[in-house]
């Protein structure tokens, strides 16, 4: 068994992940470096390990740069269904000048809500998302995003699995597992460029 991207510590096996906490820290720091001080986080329930790590990176970047963490600037959404009215309420009721979204879908929905409220991206609110899929490249404005290098992640996971199968290690308590960490990349586009 090899887990990738969405992993759990409860299962002992090989794993392939990205440096979620570090890249969320870097993305938040990028927003801070451009003068943003009221940075929101739009995330999923913490049972997704990636959401938890990305939130930790976000909080650490705020703290390291002298910005107080404010729970009212964190919006937790269900992964499956997004209520647009909830997003619009969040952006209209909170002072926000930037937002870090834990995935591409949330970022695109946030952009729509912000624009519907008459605000401009990135002039009023800058946005960074995760995934770097087709939506990020072709949204208006284009979305600054974290490239997770999914193809590379899949290649490494497949190589690890094939290696385990070919070596036919007997299952015993001495079996070792490893976690490969892929370095994600921040790709800057129009949603953060003033």
């Amino acid at each position: 068994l090899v887990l990738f991207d969405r992993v759990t510590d409860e299962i002992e096996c090989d794993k392939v992940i990205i440096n979620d906490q570090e890249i969320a820290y870097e993305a938040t720091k990028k927003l801070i470096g451009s003068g943003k001080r009221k940075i929101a986080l739009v995330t999923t329930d913490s049972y997704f390990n990636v959401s938890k790590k990305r939130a930790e990176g976000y909080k650490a970047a705020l703290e390291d740069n002298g910005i107080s963490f404010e729970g009212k600037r964190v919006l937790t959404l269900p992964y499956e269904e997004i209520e647009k009215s909830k997003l619009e309420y969040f952006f209209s009721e909170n002072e926000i000048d930037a937002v870090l979204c834990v995935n591409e879908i949330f970022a695109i929905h946030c952009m729509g809500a912000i624009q519907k409220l008459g605000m401009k991206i990135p002039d009023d609110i800058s946005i960074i998302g995760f995934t770097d899929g087709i939506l990020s490249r072709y949204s208006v404005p284009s979305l600054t995003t974290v490239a997770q290098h999914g193809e590379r992640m899949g290649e490494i996971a497949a190589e690890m699995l094939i290696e385990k199968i070919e070596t036919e290690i007997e299952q015993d308590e001495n079996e070792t597992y490893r976690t490969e960490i892929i370095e994600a990349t921040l790709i800057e586009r129009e949603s953060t460029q003033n």
Side-chain angles (χ1 to χ4, degrees), residues 8-101:
T8 179
D9 292 332
E10 295 172 11
I11 299 173
E12 289 188 21
C13 66
D14 291 327
K15 298 169 184 162
V16 184
I17 58 173
I18 66 165
N19 57 333
D20 283 298
Q21 186 170 345
E22 294 83 4
I23 197 66
Y25 182 98
E26 184 182 321
T28 305
K29 193 172 169 189
K30 153 70 176 132
L31 294 168
I32 293 167
S34 66
K36 306 302 181 180
R37 307 289 293 173
K38 300 169 186 163
I39 304 168
L41 175 68
V42 178
T43 187
T44 60
D45 295 315
S46 62
Y47 59 80
F48 283 123
N49 64 306
V50 295
S51 299
K52 182 179 177 196
K53 293 290 186 191
R54 292 171 190 176
E56 289 169 2
Y58 159 81
K59 288 177 187 176
L62 294 179
E63 183 180 302
D64 289 353
N65 288 278
I67 300 172
S68 299
F69 169 76
E70 295 187 34
K72 68 180 182 179
R73 288 200 180 107
V74 175
L75 178 61
T76 302
L77 297 172
Y79 188 73
E80 301 85 25
E81 198 170 313
I82 299 168
E83 294 177 46
K84 293 181 182 184
S85 61
K86 192 172 187 179
L87 280 175
E88 290 170 19
Y89 180 81
F90 178 72
F91 286 107
S92 65
E93 294 300 312
N94 292 292
E95 277 190 66
I96 296 170
D97 59 11
V99 60
L100 176 66
C101 297

Side-chain angles (χ1 to χ4, degrees), residues 110-138:
C110 285
M111 289 174 71
I114 290 164
Q115 291 170 330
K116 187 173 181 183
L117 292 168
M119 293 182 269
K120 293 186 182 344
I121 301 166
D123 299 336
D124 299 317
I125 300 179
S126 293
I127 299 181
I128 297 178
F130 273 75
T131 304
D132 194 37
I134 195 166
L135 297 176
S136 299
R137 285 172 276 195
Y138 295 108

